[in-house]
Amino acid sequence: MKLRFFACLWLSVASLQSYAQGFAMNKLPIDNWELGNWKQVEQVDNPFKKKAGITAGNKLLYANTPGKITSKLTTADAKIKFDFMLGLNSESIFYVQGKHGILLSNTRPSGAIITKDGSLKLPAQNAGRSTGLWQTLELTFSEASFGNAVVLEKVTLNDVVIHQGYVLTSEGKNEGPIVFENKTGVIAISNVEYLKYNKETPLKLSNLNYELYETFDWDKQFAKKKDTPNDSGKATDLTKDYGVGFNRYLLVFKGDLDVEKDGNYSLIADCAGKESVTVDGKEILPMTDESYRKPRIAYLDLKKGKHAIEVKYIKVWWKAELGLFAAGPEIRPYALHAETSLPTPQAVGEIDIQPKNDVEMVRSFVMFNGKKRVHAISIGTPQGQHYSYDLDQAALLYAWKGEFADVTEMFHERGEPQLLEAKGVRTKFSGKPSVAILSDLNAPMPDSLDAYKELIYKGYSLDASGLPTYKFQLNGANITQKISPDADGIAVSVSANGGSNLYYKLAEGKAISLIEKGRYLVDNQYVLVDPKAKPIIRSSKSGQEMIMPLTGTINYSISW
C-alpha cells in the first residue's frame, strides 16, 4: 500500500475545471475539414484484416494511408474531445493547435506527448484499448501565463488521467487548427467536440450587505444564539473574514448578481462547513450536511440585468473557508469571493495499492450501476490485469489494465464509504449471475440469485501464484470459476460437477457480432472462445447475451 501526495494548485484547478463538464460541448461538423487523402465513411468493418472494410457514408473520418486532415476551426484556450479507433499495427498523431503532437498508437504507449526534440513524454500509464475498439481522448489546454508556452492542463485517455499540468514550449501564435496525421495502418475518428474558452467574467456581485450571527457548539452548532445579528453592514467582498473572532458563526450575504448578457451559467459553492445559495428567491444550492471542500454546482439560465442573490455560510469544525465561483459553457470558473476567503485546499494523500511481485486481494464495497456491491472482492496482479467480482452472484463487475486500485475511501479518515476504485482503463460487465439452471433455451437468465438458497458461495482456494478459484453450489451442482491475467485482458475458466440444465453466460451487451472465427465483439470489448465452440447468441433484456451449456469446463478470454 502506498500513500501519494499531489500538488494542491493543479488539483484545485482541475476540480473546478471539471464542472465545465455539465455544459454541452460543440460538435465539429463532419464537413469542417480539409480532408487531404482522408475519407468520410459510415462504418469500418473488421480492423483485424490487412485491409479493413468500409461502408460509404459521412459519419466517420477514415484513413488507411499516411496523410493529414486539418480542421477549419482554430483553438487557443479550449477543451477538445474525440473518439478514435485503430487497426492492427497502427499509429497516428493528434496535434494540439496543429503543432503539439500526442500519439495515438497500438504499437507504442498511446497518449504519449511528442516533445520538441522528438522524444516522448510517456503517459502516467498506458490507457489504450485493444485494436478495433473505440477509444476516447479528452484534453484541456491554455496559453501559459509565462513565456511562449501551452499548458496541457489535463489529458485523459479512456477516462484515465495520463497527463496533468504539462508545459509545452511554443513558437509563434498560440492558436491553431485541430489536426490528425495518420502515420501507418488504419484510423477512424468520430464525435469531435470542443469548447473554446474566453476571458469574459459576465457575472459579478454588487450591493452586498452582510449579517453575522454567533452560533452554538456541539448539538446546537447550527442554531443562532440570538435573533438579532452580532454585526451587520455593507460588505466590500464575499468573504469569511467578517466572522473573525468567533469560533462558530453564521454569515448571511444579500445583494445583486449582475449579469452582462443572457446565457447559461453555473455557480459553484466551495467551503469548509455549510453553504447555501439562493438566486431570485429560489434556493439553487441548499444547505446540506457540513463538508470539507467538496464543491457543489448549480446550472442557471440567466437574463441580462440584476438578480437578487443570498449566500449563507456556517463555520463549524474546520478553519473558516468560503468560496463561490461562476462559470459558463465557454467561461472557465472564476472567483466571486475575495482571494483570502478560500485558501488553496490541504493536500489529501491518495492511498493506492500496486501489486509488484504478488497477487493482491482486497475485500471492499464496489459501486456498480449506482449501488454498492457489498460482497465484492478485487484482485490485482503483477501482470497489470485486474478485476472486481461479486461473490454473492458469481459475477464479474469490472476488469481493467494498468495500475490497480485507489483505496483512499477505505482508509482516509474513517473510511466510511469503504469503496475501492479502479485506476486503469476499465471494461464493465453485466454484474448478473454467470451461471443458472434453465428449463429450456427460451428461459431467461436471472438478474440475481438468492445467495442463501440458490447460489451458495463456498469460499475459494489459491493456486501457487496466489490467484483464487471461487467455489459455489447451485441446486446440487458444484461449480468452480477462476479468472487469470491474459496477454491482453483476462482468461476465465469455469467448471461444473453434477447438476443438470446448467448454462453459463459468457457475455451480455447491447449487440454481439462475430468479428472473426472465435472472436466476438460485445459492445466495446472482445470475447474470445475456441473457434470450434458454438456459443448461443440470443436476445436479453439489455440487448443480446452469449450463453453455453455448462457441462464439464468452459474456457474463454476477454480483452478490451
Side-chain angles (χ1 to χ4, degrees):
M1 187 178 296
K2 183 163 56 176
L3 179 64
R4 294 180 177 176
F5 287 92
F6 297 96
C8 298
L9 180 59
W10 278 113
L11 278 180
S12 180
V13 170
S15 173
L16 289 171
Q17 188 57 40
S18 68
Y19 285 100
Q21 300 286 350
F23 295 108
M25 296 181 71
N26 304 306
K27 291 189 178 296
L28 192 63
I30 197 77
D31 59 357
N32 196 283
W33 297 90
E34 296 173 3
L35 289 173
N37 61 349
W38 285 54
K39 302 179 181 71
Q40 292 181 7
V41 302
E42 187 70 19
Q43 186 176 328
V44 180
D45 301 316
N46 197 346
F48 289 90
K49 291 181 178 178
K50 287 185 179 179
K51 187 176 180 180
I54 57 175
T55 305
N58 61 355
K59 187 177 179 181
L60 312 175
L61 301 168
Y62 171 80
N64 60 0
T65 57
K68 287 187 177 182
I69 184 171
T70 303
S71 71
K72 299 172 187 176
L73 171 80
T74 60
T75 59
D77 183 352
K79 179 169 72 171
I80 294 173
K81 181 180 180 181
F82 60 88
D83 299 328
F84 66 97
M85 181 180 72
L86 297 167
L88 273 176
N89 301 320
S90 297
E91 186 167 285
S92 296
I93 301 173
F94 163 66
Y95 291 97
V96 180
Q97 297 180 348
K99 50 192 171 185
H100 306 291
I102 296 177
L103 207 60
L104 310 175
S105 177
N106 53 22
T107 58
R108 293 190 286 174
S110 210
I113 298 168
I114 303 172
T115 63
K116 194 173 182 180
D117 63 6
S119 62
L120 296 182
K121 162 63 177 172
L122 295 178
Q125 59 176 300
N126 190 353
R129 292 190 181 275
S130 298
T131 295
L133 297 181
W134 283 101
Q135 311 188 54
T136 302
L137 186 87
E138 180 176 327
L139 73 160
T140 305
F141 59 90
S142 62
E143 185 175 8
S145 58
F146 48 85
N148 198 13
V150 171
V151 180
L152 295 184
E153 297 175 11
K154 186 177 180 182
V155 183
T156 62
L157 177 58
N158 300 319
D159 296 322
V160 176
V161 178
I162 58 172
H163 299 289
Q164 203 160 4
Y166 189 74
V167 179
L168 291 162
T169 57
S170 189
E171 294 178 359
K173 191 175 182 182
N174 270 333
E175 187 173 7
I178 299 170
V179 175
F180 294 96
E181 181 181 13
N182 191 38
K183 304 294 284 187
T184 182
V186 170
I187 184 170
I189 304 289
S190 70
N191 300 324
V192 181
E193 299 179 325
Y194 69 94
L195 283 176
K196 293 177 67 172
Y197 295 115
N198 58 54
K199 301 188 184 304
E200 292 181 338
T201 56
L203 304 187
K204 295 180 177 63
L205 297 178
S206 67
N207 302 321
L208 280 182
N209 292 282
Y210 75 94
E211 292 179 345
L212 170 69
Y213 299 86
E214 186 178 6
T215 56
F216 287 94
D217 288 342
W218 306 110
D219 60 329
K220 295 194 297 180
Q221 61 181 311
F222 304 125
K224 301 176 186 176
K225 283 190 173 181
K226 57 182 182 178
D227 292 332
T228 56
N230 296 70
D231 189 20
S232 63
K234 287 192 69 67
T236 54
D237 289 296
L238 182 72
T239 175
K240 48 84 177 175
D241 292 336
Y242 290 106
V244 170
F246 291 89
N247 192 36
R248 302 281 188 271
Y249 61 82
L250 162 68
L251 270 173
V252 181
F253 293 91
K254 293 181 181 180
D256 293 324
L257 178 64
D258 298 334
V259 180
E260 291 182 359
K261 62 180 181 180
D262 297 355
N264 295 314
Y265 301 98
S266 67
L267 292 177
I268 306 163
D270 187 357
C271 74
K274 299 180 70 167
E275 182 178 4
S276 71
V277 181
T278 300
V279 176
D280 292 332
K282 181 180 179 181
E283 191 175 47
I284 60 170
L285 288 169
M287 189 79 77
T288 57
D289 291 340
E290 67 270 23
S291 65
Y292 182 78
R293 301 302 296 273
K294 293 183 179 178
R296 296 180 297 135
I297 188 167
Y299 295 95
L300 302 164
D301 183 12
L302 295 173
K303 300 294 184 184
K304 179 180 178 179
K306 290 185 181 294
H307 297 261
I309 187 169
E310 179 182 78
V311 178
K312 292 181 180 178
Y313 169 64
I314 295 177
K315 189 259 185 194
V316 286
W317 312 108
W318 302 283
K319 180 177 66 176
E321 297 181 10
L322 167 63
L324 183 66
F325 296 85
E330 297 186 349
I331 303 165
R332 291 173 176 273
Y334 64 93
L336 297 176
H337 55 268
E339 186 176 352
T340 57
S341 187
L342 193 70
T344 300
Q346 293 178 358
V348 175
E350 178 190 280
I351 305 170
D352 65 12
I353 298 176
Q354 299 301 339
K356 292 183 178 178
N357 301 311
D358 301 311
V359 171
E360 295 281 357
M361 303 174 63
V362 183
R363 290 295 302 270
S364 71
F365 298 157
V366 173
M367 289 299 296
F368 188 83
N369 290 340
K371 295 182 179 179
K372 283 183 180 179
R373 294 291 181 107
V374 297
H375 295 104
I377 188 169
S378 297
I379 306 298
T381 72
Q383 292 88 342
Q385 285 89 17
H386 325 292
Y387 68 88
S388 289
Y389 185 85
D390 188 334
L391 295 168
D392 270 354
Q393 301 297 318
L396 273 165
L397 302 175
Y398 304 104
W400 64 98
K401 297 182 289 188
E403 297 186 14
F404 177 40
D406 178 352
V407 292
T408 308
E409 295 281 19
M410 293 176 62
F411 296 103
H412 178 57
E413 294 182 341
R414 295 184 181 182
E416 183 276 328
Q418 288 294 302
L419 291 172
L420 176 144
E421 292 286 345
K423 292 200 68 179
V425 58
R426 190 172 73 171
T427 192
K428 183 180 177 182
F429 303 99
S430 72
K432 299 174 185 177
S434 57
V435 63
I437 294 173
L438 303 183
S439 56
D440 57 63
L441 273 179
N442 293 318
M445 291 288 284
D447 289 341
S448 64
L449 290 171
D450 190 313
Y452 296 98
K453 297 178 181 178
E454 296 175 295
L455 183 66
I456 301 171
Y457 172 57
K458 304 297 287 185
Y460 58 79
S461 60
L462 299 179
D463 68 9
S465 67
L467 287 169
T469 296
Y470 307 107
K471 303 174 184 180
F472 299 90
Q473 286 184 349
L474 177 63
N475 288 10
N478 292 311
I479 299 163
T480 62
Q481 189 175 31
K482 183 177 181 180
I483 302 161
S484 311
D486 197 26
D488 199 25
I490 56 173
V492 183
S493 180
V494 59
S495 300
N497 182 19
S500 59
N501 299 323
L502 283 172
Y503 283 84
Y504 183 81
K505 181 190 291 187
L506 289 82
E508 182 177 6
K510 293 178 182 177
I512 299 175
S513 57
L514 180 64
I515 297 296
E516 58 184 8
K517 209 165 187 181
R519 182 187 295 270
Y520 294 84
L521 177 64
V522 183
D523 294 343
N524 206 34
Q525 63 184 224
Y526 295 119
V527 175
L528 295 93
V529 301
D530 185 331
K532 296 178 182 178
K534 296 180 179 178
I536 300 162
I537 298 174
R538 63 180 197 166
S539 297
S540 71
K541 291 179 182 178
S542 60
Q544 290 185 300
E545 63 185 6
M546 182 189 301
I547 65 172
M548 290 180 69
L550 181 52
T551 54
T553 300
I554 296 173
N555 294 306
Y556 67 103
S557 62
I558 303 165
S559 63
W560 59 95

